[in-house]
């Protein structure tokens, strides 16, 4: 076959896939732009929505997909009910697999949980804790990736550390305080906010703010001794000076925060400029305009008070009562200006606390539960979409790019969402569970819906017989004591 004939045959196969997926959506088929250059460049959330790289997250419920993918006219006679039953079996099966992962991860995390009220009956050496700590981070990050979260490099200052927030706060975070940190997001978009501008004569002006629809933070603090040694080495301080420096830098931490724990936080709809709010050592600083305004007010007040009191102070010997009153007046002016600084900072702290109150979704163990549930749902949605094609079409591995693109166009035409569909991961799971079999020639054989449902039913019967032993190899048992 010539290259021209091969290209024409490939185009015909793609158009057929688009037509059939358009039929799934009960839409009139329209020409679709075909391309192979799916971008794999790093995500840049600062870009506009229409140019930012597509994310893997499918912002549609699995129930919506279930209803649309099992319409009676989309399957041969009688198979729509079997397909619906198979998808429901697959949903429960995938949830149970994630629950098995959770049992092991929860047991590992218990040694680092800041919220546990259980009796600690196992002791761990420093080496054991290092192994468990690595296992917790790897396990949670794996769940985040399977839930289609994107990683943010903690060293990416452009995203994490900003000049000030759209609320008007100037925040600072010392990233050196963390021994290990992981930041993940899902759903980067831009939202419109309003703000009154002086140059617009206090009229409201709309502006776009990059927003993380979901943001997950996981971190462990450095031990105090490590921080002291780093301060002595990097800043050339004596041990006494280094201890004082570390104590001042950790004064912003809550008293209950323990350097041995691993903390997890999950937030919703966090503006990019407010990412600094989510860290435990966030410092609120005055902006240049605040310093100018408060400085001018303070200097003016003190200057006027000093000028008015100068004459009275000169009468210290002849009229000490008047002089003392003048000095008290100057002290009162200074006190009011100092309170102005403190009150302004307090207002900033209230703004930060109020915003975090409405953005917080879950903490610690609750984060793991939410992420695992989301991961299972994302897997099921991807598998339902892929199965709906493979169960009806004879396909080979060479057709996967066309199927991938066709599914993406189906989601765009049906729900108006643009995603980067993970066809390889979905296919691997279907093959691993025996729903799809790949032959040596690269062709796929997919179980029909009724057989696929029975296959999952049979796997359920064997599931409990192959449960792993959850006994940990780290630590040793002893007479328990309360964890907190």
């Amino acid at each position: 076959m010539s290259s021209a004939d091969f290209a024409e045959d490939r185009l015909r196969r793609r158009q057929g896939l688009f037509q059939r997926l358009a039929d799934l959506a009960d839409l009139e088929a329209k020409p679709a732009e075909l391309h192979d250059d799916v971008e794999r460049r790093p995500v840049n959330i600062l870009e506009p929505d229409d140019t930012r790289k597509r994310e893997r997250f499918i912002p549609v419920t699995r129930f919506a997909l279930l209803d649309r993918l099992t319409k009676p006219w989309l399957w041969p006679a009688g198979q729509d009910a079997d397909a619906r039953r198979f998808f429901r079996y697959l949903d429960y099966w995938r949830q149970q697999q994630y629950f098995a992962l959770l049992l092991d991860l929860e047991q590992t995390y218990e040694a680092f949980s800041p919220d546990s009220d259980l009796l600690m009956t196992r002791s761990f050496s420093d080496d054991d804790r290092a192994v468990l700590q690595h296992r917790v981070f790897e396990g949670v990050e794996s769940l985040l990736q399977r839930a289609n979260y994107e990683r943010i490099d903690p060293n990416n200052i452009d995203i994490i550390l900003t000049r000030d927030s759209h609320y008007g706060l100037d925040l600072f975070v010392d990233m050196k305080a963390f021994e290990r940190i992981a930041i993940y997001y899902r759903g980067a978009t831009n939202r419109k906010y309003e703000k009154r501008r002086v140059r617009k004569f206090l009229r409201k002006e709309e502006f776009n703010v990059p927003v993380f629809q979901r943001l997950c933070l996981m971190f462990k603090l450095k031990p105090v001794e490590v921080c002291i040694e780093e301060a002595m080495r990097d800043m050339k301080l004596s041990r006494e000076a280094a201890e004082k420096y570390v104590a001042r830098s950790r004064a912003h931490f809550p008293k209950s925060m323990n350097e041995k724990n691993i903390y997890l936080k999950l937030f919703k709809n966090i503006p990019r400029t407010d990412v600094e709010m989510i860290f435990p050592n966030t410092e609120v600083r005055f902006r240049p305009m605040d310093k100018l305004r408060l400085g001018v007010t303070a200097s003016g007040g003190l200057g006027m008070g000093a000028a008015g009191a100068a004459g009275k102070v000169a009468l210290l010997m002849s009229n000490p009562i008047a002089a003392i009153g003048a000095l008290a007046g100057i002290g009162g002016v200074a006190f009011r200006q100092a309170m102005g600084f403190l009150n302004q900072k307090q207002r900033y702290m209230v703004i930060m606390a109020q915003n975090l109150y409405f953005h917080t979704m879950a903490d610690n163990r609750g984060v793991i539960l939410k992420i695992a549930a989301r991961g299972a749902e994302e897997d099921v949605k991807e598998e339902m979409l892929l199965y709906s094609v493979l169960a009806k079409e004879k396909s080979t591995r060479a057709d996967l790019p066309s199927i991938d693109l066709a599914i993406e166009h189906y989601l765009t035409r049906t729900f108006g969402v643009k995603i980067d569909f993970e066809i390889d991961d979905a296919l691997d799971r279907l093959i691993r569970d025996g729903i799809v079999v790949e032959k040596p020639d690269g062709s796929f054989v997919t179980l029909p819906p009724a057989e696929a449902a029975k296959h999952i039913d049979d796997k359920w019967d064997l599931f409990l017989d192959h449960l792993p032993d959850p006994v940990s190899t780290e630590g040793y048992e002893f007479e328990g004591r309360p964890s907190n």
Side-chain angles (χ1 to χ4, degrees), residues 80 83 126 143 158 201 208 255 276 296 322 324 351 354 382 385 431:
D80 58 295
D126 291 341
L143 285 179
D158 291 337
F201 303 100
N208 288 325
K255 299 297 183 182
E276 293 157 300
V296 169
I324 293 173
I351 292 174
Q354 288 176 340
E382 294 168 359
L385 286 164
I431 291 176

Side-chain angles (χ1 to χ4, degrees), residues 33 51 101 186 228 233 257 298 440 451 472:
E33 180 183 358
T51 60
L101 291 175
R186 194 212 70 209
I228 293 174
R233 182 182 67 248
M257 184 159 286
E451 294 182 27
S472 174

Side-chain angles (χ1 to χ4, degrees), residues 267-319:
F267 302 90
K268 63 179 180 180
N269 300 327
I270 285 281
R272 181 187 68 88
T273 54
D274 290 348
V275 171
E276 293 157 300
M277 285 187 184
I278 68 178
F279 294 92
N281 58 335
T282 302
E283 297 181 39
V284 178
R285 294 181 171 181
F286 288 114
R287 299 170 299 167
M289 283 300 297
D290 293 324
K291 294 177 181 178
L292 178 62
R293 177 173 58 82
L294 294 173
V296 169
T297 302
S299 60
L302 287 174
M304 293 295 292
K312 297 179 179 180
V313 173
L315 302 176
L316 180 61
M317 299 304 295
S318 60
N319 192 351

